[in-house]
Amino acid sequence: MTPLLMAVHDAPIPFTGSDGRVHLVYELWLSNFSSGDVTVKQVDVVGDGKALETLDAAAVATRLQAAGQRVSAGTMPKGSQGLLFLHVTLGPGAVVPGQLSHRIVLRAEAAPPGLQEMTETGGVVTVDRAAVAQIGPPLAGDGYISADSCCDATRHTRAAMPVNGRVWVAQRYAVDWEQTDAQGRIYVGPQDKLESYAIFGKPVLAVADAVVASVVDGRPEQTPGKYPTNIPLEQADGNCVILDLGGGRFAMYAHMQPGSIRVRKGDRVKLGQAIGLVGDSGNSVVPHLHFQVMAGNSSLSANGLPYEISAFRVTGKTDGTAAFDEAEEKGTPLAITALSPVQEVKDAMPLDQLIVSFAAR
Ligand SMILES: [Zn+2]
């Protein structure tokens, strides 16, 4: 008997992160098909027969989320389903495995006494070697914060949503770009004024030569500093643009200023062309640019895809999401550890909570 069923619905696509490592990000679906609790004690991610990563019980407990839950736990009640959010990294030059599987050590309450501890193997998946989208920067200038970027921040990477009869993680690699001034402040002046925010009104740039796949405009700005209430899911992106990058890849920009979008559906845009201005429309707490790439012309019912930005500089790292949240809420300087020398990055995804400079326009 194997009480846990395992499956991977969306195979990981390896990409290079701004740390120079290769990252594999995906979800292992677990179903407890037994009549009692199952506690997951250890998970080994196995690549072509050898262990790549081991999660102990404590690590599993921070990464296993039951369907419909935002909290994580290492024990699955009978009949329940959950997603184990996995993030495997490989050193530069390491061979990317062709196939992944998972060895799980667990305790099943429904098994007879003495037989409750067991090890299962499953969730076999072929690594997806689809070409990673190579794009330009979505913004220009200095002091941008890659908030809630890949791979262990929860707000995007774990945004598994049931839409049209299937769970999608469209935001798996999304970033909420914000910006600091020279003193590390996200806003200066009244918290509830759009103009107080460093990023407000910055041009949003086409990340490639592309065709405009969809445009939504005319949605109002929110009042910064508090989450809007009663925003329907289909209006969550606010004023947004989706670009068809070709090859089944689409780039999405959300929360732009009403009336600022300069392109229409069907237009051809050029790499670096300004398509609108950063705003605070839709489900947005402060002005920011939500940017993601996905496998369809929909910000919700499409598989989130990795991408690599051609060139940027990492000038610092923040103290993490909690420090960022506090600076965003209070307007106090964000604790930043400056990198010296600054890191010049080519063809990589900006990872979470970095201070990033893009080329000036
Ligand atoms: Zn976002």
Side-chain angles (χ1 to χ4, degrees), residues 3-334:
L4 274 191
L5 310 184
M6 302 180 220
V8 176
H9 294 185
D10 299 311
I13 300 174
F15 64 91
T16 302
S18 51
D19 59 357
R21 297 180 68 85
V22 172
H23 297 251
L24 296 148
V25 177
Y26 63 105
E27 306 82 41
L28 179 65
W29 284 74
L30 298 175
S31 303
N32 176 2
F33 207 80
S34 78
S35 57
D37 284 358
V38 166
T39 299
V40 179
K41 303 187 134 187
Q42 185 178 316
V43 176
D44 294 316
V45 179
V46 179
D48 293 342
K50 83 174 193 243
L52 299 175
E53 186 114 354
T54 296
L55 303 182
D56 63 14
V60 170
T62 66
R63 291 181 171 274
L64 176 55
Q65 285 179 217
Q69 306 276 322
R70 281 183 178 257
V71 292
S72 52
T75 297
M76 301 181 69
K78 63 183 175 184
S80 68
Q81 197 170 48
L83 278 71
L84 181 65
F85 290 91
L86 290 168
H87 174 207
V88 175
T89 68
L90 306 168
V95 175
V96 175
Q99 195 174 66
L100 302 175
S101 64
H102 308 83
R103 188 164 53 231
I104 297 188
V105 180
L106 59 88
R107 177 181 173 82
E109 298 300 334
L115 298 172
Q116 293 179 329
E117 303 274 338
M118 60 184 87
T119 300
E120 289 185 24
T121 300
V124 176
V125 61
T126 299
V127 173
D128 187 344
R129 300 312 302 265
V132 175
Q134 304 293 315
I135 63 172
L139 293 158
D142 302 320
Y144 290 105
I145 312 162
S146 56
D148 293 308
S149 184
C150 205
C151 305
D152 297 306
T154 60
R155 290 168 192 153
H156 291 139
T157 311
R158 299 191 186 180
M161 289 197 272
V163 184
N164 296 340
R166 204 258 204 213
V167 168
W168 301 99
V169 191
Q171 303 180 22
R172 192 182 289 114
Y173 305 100
V175 178
D176 282 341
W177 289 104
E178 295 194 21
Q179 192 179 24
T180 67
D181 69 1
Q183 282 74 48
R185 296 170 300 186
I186 291 169
Y187 70 91
V188 179
Q191 184 184 21
D192 61 356
K193 288 276 174 295
L194 296 162
E195 294 75 13
S196 300
Y197 291 78
I199 200 171
F200 182 73
K202 294 291 157 66
V204 170
L205 309 180
V207 294
D209 294 350
V211 176
V212 178
S214 81
V215 172
V216 173
D217 202 345
R219 290 182 181 146
E221 297 282 28
Q222 307 297 347
T223 301
K226 54 177 188 234
Y227 265 106
T229 50
N230 300 322
I231 296 271
L233 187 61
E234 55 275 16
Q235 292 180 20
D237 299 331
N239 304 308
C240 66
V241 171
I242 296 178
L243 299 183
D244 183 348
L245 307 179
R249 304 189 202 92
F250 295 78
M252 196 271 279
Y253 308 76
H255 314 299
M256 282 188 270
Q257 289 183 17
S260 76
I261 296 175
R262 303 173 202 178
V263 295
R264 289 181 171 178
K265 184 177 176 176
D267 284 357
R268 291 185 176 277
V269 294
K270 287 281 180 201
L271 169 66
Q273 181 181 332
I275 58 174
L277 302 177
V278 174
D280 189 33
S281 57
N283 187 29
S284 179
V285 67
V286 295
H288 73 287
L289 174 67
H290 172 109
F291 177 81
Q292 68 185 43
V293 174
M294 65 274 169
N297 183 15
S298 165
S299 64
L300 294 170
S301 58
N303 188 29
L305 297 177
Y307 50 88
E308 294 167 353
I309 296 180
S310 52
F312 57 95
R313 294 157 76 202
V314 179
T315 62
K317 293 176 196 273
T318 81
D319 276 3
T321 299
F324 164 77
D325 286 350
E326 185 180 321
E328 182 194 75
E329 191 189 325
K330 297 182 179 162
T332 48
L334 175 57

